[in-house]
Amino acid sequence: MHSKISRGGRLGCLAALTLGLSSIPLVAGDWQYKSRPDLAPPRLNITIPATKEVESGYIFIAPFSGYPEGTHHGPAQAAPYIFTDTGDLVWSGFTYFSIWATNFQKGRYKGQDILFSFEGSHNAAYGHGHGHTTFLDQNYETIKELRAGNHRLTDKHEFHITNDETALIQIYHPVPYDLTPHGGSSEQQWIVDARFQELDIETGKVLFEWSSLEHVDPSEGYLPLNPGQAGSGYNSSDAWDYFHINSVDKDQDGNYLISARDANAVYKINGKTSEIIWQLGGKSSNFTLGDQVEFSFQHHARFLSRSADGKQEIFSLYDNSAHGTENGHGHEVHLYEYSRGKIIQVDTETWTSTIVQAFHPPDNLLSKSQGSTQVLPNGNVLVNWGSEGAITEFKSDGTPIFHFYMDSGLLGEAVENYRGFRYNWTGIPNEAPAIVALKDEAKETTSIYVSWNGDTETKSWRFYEVEDNGRRSYLGESKRKSFETVLELPHVGVKTVQAEALDAEGGVLVDTSIVKPDILIHEFKGKHQTGKNKLQKQQGEGVVPWLFFKGQKFFSRADL
């Protein structure tokens, strides 16, 4: 079973306090990379190491700590990330997306692999956001920002490229509405008209727009019209979110599949008339539900396949089986003891539905929000457990073969992740690689560290000392085994250093800048002492018998 250390816990006894600094573990983000001290990504807590049966590719996630945006810079850096199966960082998007980002994926645009992510505001209390979708190319350069058309606001839940030219987005659209038939007072007059659009990516032109209020009565909603996450309708910021679209997909016939979380239903929409073709789940299901098919407050419905005559269709979804937020805000609903990824078949001849496979969480996780289910090319299934901050890869028979949490060390209890994916990816950064050389004069050694954020092609690094005339002397070569590569030198006499990245064939990809070695740990040499230095001096004079520092506070026996 997985356990996490409480972020708010304090040392509760004298024995624990007297352990001092030496026993206080450093948070996971402290100086992970000597060459990139600005980066502090979460560390993956891998509880089931990836077996040889996992699909190829990298893990794409955008974890956040559950706190208001912009409040954490350090071990809880919220950003899109690419990781290997061993938990090694490939790319940190922390410096590429300036505001809250989610739904980070790889896609195809104009025949090229691209990255995209929502970035904008995040209203966690009401489960929506407003912003735009940003595209990056394989050099991690911004090539496009796409927004909703018809003066709508792009929400955070969906951006799905259906081919190289069009994309599906979801819209949170509050409108005035008579809510008295649904228990509202005369002051409660706002409802969310959940919408989605299909856009031409190049021009931003709206090709199709669908409105929930035009086709689904608010009585189909499961969450009540009263204070809570679904909204109480008193104003546009508190509009009643009776439907809540959180995913949109499109099939080869031009019809759409949408997940309406707060209606506990999946709908197939006619792409020409906008009419509902069928509904699975909810209060007006067209299908009888087979064993394990029932779902609630679900996410991420995706078409998978259909029979030749079109009467049987298979799709995947993430069944939360719960609703609420991790801090207890809003309506708390638990229908099952744990969430599951599911593959479901519907039959429009018999109007029955059956479970193809259900994927059970290794630790019986129940996520009150978020989540995704991705069927991989080799038949494996990657399930992201949403607000539980975990991901599992399963074999097609439901066997877990890889499982991890996004802990970020001691600060990881509240880590969440909206969607998670696995993709093959080739990244060639335009940004320069980072290099630093650090002298440890006590050990008389020099360590040269180098990294290149987002690079997937470097196989080894070659290091040189650079003389004043520009001539380079070979220092050594190190195979690249992780995000950062180091060359250890048994002396401190190196004046300036440089490294070059080598690909699999030994070709040079890029040179680093030329840097002078620096001291590993600096000491203050000036006349003025800090408060801590003064206390340490007093300790040496016998004024303070012992002292240690934790969490911006000094502790001594006098404090006990």
Side-chain angles (χ1 to χ4, degrees):
M1 294 293 291
H2 174 74
S3 62
K4 297 182 181 180
I5 300 173
S6 172
R7 184 170 45 257
R10 296 182 177 179
L11 297 177
C13 64
L14 174 62
L17 280 172
T18 55
L19 289 175
L21 266 179
S22 62
S23 67
I24 298 173
L26 295 174
V27 291
D30 280 355
W31 215 10
Q32 286 190 54
Y33 309 115
K34 303 295 190 298
S35 58
R36 291 298 302 268
D38 58 314
L39 299 183
R43 291 192 179 185
L44 304 189
N45 178 359
I46 300 172
T47 59
I48 301 178
T51 71
K52 295 180 179 180
E53 296 173 287
V54 300
E55 177 63 285
S56 62
Y58 300 114
I59 300 298
F60 284 60
I61 56 177
F64 60 100
S65 64
Y67 289 93
E69 60 204 64
T71 61
H72 278 264
H73 301 273
Q77 284 180 352
Y81 290 101
I82 302 175
F83 283 96
T84 69
D85 291 344
T86 59
D88 190 49
L89 179 67
V90 175
W91 181 71
S92 167
F94 186 66
T95 60
Y96 287 80
F97 294 92
S98 59
I99 46 182
W100 191 81
T102 194
N103 193 29
F104 172 52
Q105 299 183 50
K106 169 192 164 181
R108 295 280 294 179
Y109 175 54
K110 293 185 175 180
Q112 301 295 320
D113 287 343
I114 55 97
L115 302 177
F116 66 82
S117 179
F118 170 90
E119 61 174 336
S121 67
H122 175 217
N123 188 340
Y126 286 88
H128 67 91
H130 296 136
H132 60 268
T133 302
T134 300
F135 287 42
L136 307 182
D137 62 17
Q138 289 184 273
N139 306 124
Y140 305 98
E141 296 286 353
T142 299
I143 57 175
K144 180 171 283 293
E145 292 181 353
L146 193 63
R147 292 164 174 80
N150 296 340
H151 307 290
R152 312 296 187 206
L153 293 173
T154 300
D155 195 6
K156 67 180 183 180
H157 287 95
E158 186 62 281
F159 189 93
H160 181 45
I161 298 177
T162 58
N163 51 49
D164 281 16
E165 299 177 352
T166 70
L168 301 168
I169 66 168
Q170 172 265 334
I171 295 165
Y172 181 94
H173 187 59
V175 297
Y177 198 84
D178 180 11
L179 296 178
T180 55
H182 308 286
S185 68
S186 58
E187 289 80 24
Q188 292 171 286
Q189 298 180 344
W190 287 88
I191 194 170
V192 177
D193 183 11
R195 298 181 177 228
F196 73 85
Q197 292 179 345
E198 183 171 10
L199 302 175
D200 179 88
I201 297 175
E202 179 66 20
T203 65
K205 180 181 178 181
V206 178
L207 305 176
F208 184 87
E209 182 169 343
W210 188 86
S211 158
S212 66
L213 282 177
E214 292 179 5
H215 300 279
V216 182
D217 188 85
S219 62
E220 292 291 312
Y222 276 78
L223 298 182
L225 176 61
N226 59 39
Q229 190 177 21
S232 51
Y234 286 104
N235 53 60
S236 61
S237 297
D238 188 35
W240 182 33
D241 194 3
Y242 83 100
F243 200 68
H244 194 94
I245 296 174
N246 57 27
S247 73
V248 190
D249 196 9
K250 188 178 183 181
D251 68 11
Q252 59 190 17
D253 292 333
N255 300 317
Y256 301 94
L257 184 73
I258 65 172
S259 165
R261 182 188 187 194
D262 292 350
N264 287 350
V266 171
Y267 298 80
K268 185 177 180 180
I269 307 297
N270 189 301
K272 296 180 179 179
T273 67
S274 294
E275 296 301 317
I276 295 173
I277 298 173
W278 53 250
Q279 172 183 339
L280 177 67
K283 298 178 181 179
S284 304
S285 180
N286 297 117
F287 301 90
T288 58
L289 306 184
D291 183 45
Q292 297 191 62
V293 171
E294 185 180 11
F295 52 85
S296 60
F297 305 109
Q298 73 291 334
H299 286 76
H300 200 226
R302 288 288 187 260
F303 284 120
L304 295 180
S305 64
R306 68 175 184 173
S307 61
D309 60 9
K311 294 179 180 179
Q312 291 83 39
E313 296 177 273
I314 298 176
F315 64 91
S316 61
L317 59 76
Y318 179 76
D319 177 13
N320 292 76
S321 289
H323 186 282
T325 59
E326 300 309 301
N327 63 7
H329 179 89
H331 305 285
E332 297 286 333
V333 182
H334 295 177
L335 297 186
Y336 292 96
E337 294 300 316
Y338 47 83
S339 304
R340 287 170 289 182
K342 291 183 176 179
I343 299 176
I344 297 171
Q345 177 177 292
V346 295
D347 189 318
T348 55
E349 185 173 35
T350 62
W351 294 100
T352 58
S353 60
T354 55
I355 195 77
V356 176
Q357 188 61 260
F359 301 91
H360 302 262
D363 294 343
N364 292 333
L365 300 174
L366 180 72
S367 58
K368 300 175 185 177
S369 65
Q370 310 162 79
S372 59
T373 299
Q374 180 193 21
V375 178
L376 299 167
N378 70 349
N380 288 356
V381 174
L382 192 79
V383 179
N384 166 66
W385 305 103
S387 56
E388 290 299 295
I391 284 181
T392 310
E393 183 167 337
F394 297 88
K395 293 170 61 176
S396 60
D397 64 2
T399 304
I401 53 177
F402 181 39
H403 183 66
F404 68 86
Y405 292 84
M406 292 160 250
D407 286 289
S408 190
L410 298 182
L411 301 186
E413 186 172 324
V415 172
E416 304 176 27
N417 185 62
Y418 175 52
R419 287 178 175 175
F421 299 93
R422 180 188 285 281
Y423 301 110
N424 288 302
W425 172 252
T426 300
I428 306 174
N430 275 353
E431 74 168 73
I435 184 171
V436 63
L438 299 175
K439 296 185 295 183
D440 188 336
E441 295 181 339
K443 296 181 179 180
E444 296 186 348
T445 60
T446 301
S447 299
I448 308 173
Y449 300 88
V450 62
S451 63
W452 196 12
N453 187 30
D455 162 50
T456 63
E457 301 306 289
T458 296
K459 302 303 179 184
S460 64
W461 289 91
R462 189 174 292 159
F463 298 84
Y464 298 92
E465 181 175 12
V466 183
E467 300 177 6
D468 292 340
N469 60 6
R471 182 179 177 181
R472 303 196 305 184
S473 301
Y474 177 76
L475 291 173
E477 186 172 320
S478 295
K479 289 185 177 180
R480 180 189 177 186
K481 298 179 180 179
S482 62
F483 180 80
E484 186 171 67
T485 302
V486 60
L487 178 69
E488 302 280 357
L489 300 177
H491 53 81
V492 295
V494 181
K495 294 183 178 180
T496 56
V497 297
Q498 186 180 32
E500 59 185 15
L502 306 178
D503 62 19
E505 287 73 39
V508 177
L509 295 171
V510 69
D511 288 332
T512 70
S513 59
I514 300 172
V515 298
K516 295 180 179 180
D518 202 352
I519 299 172
L520 177 62
I521 301 294
H522 285 267
E523 295 181 3
F524 182 68
K525 302 293 186 180
K527 296 180 180 180
H528 301 288
Q529 290 181 309
T530 65
K532 182 179 178 182
N533 287 338
K534 288 180 181 179
L535 284 169
Q536 289 173 331
K537 185 175 185 294
Q538 291 174 343
Q539 178 185 6
E541 295 171 352
V543 176
V544 181
W546 59 264
L547 173 128
F548 68 86
F549 180 74
K550 179 179 185 293
Q552 307 301 318
K553 184 177 179 181
F554 294 100
F555 290 86
S556 73
R557 280 200 178 93
D559 295 318
L560 302 178

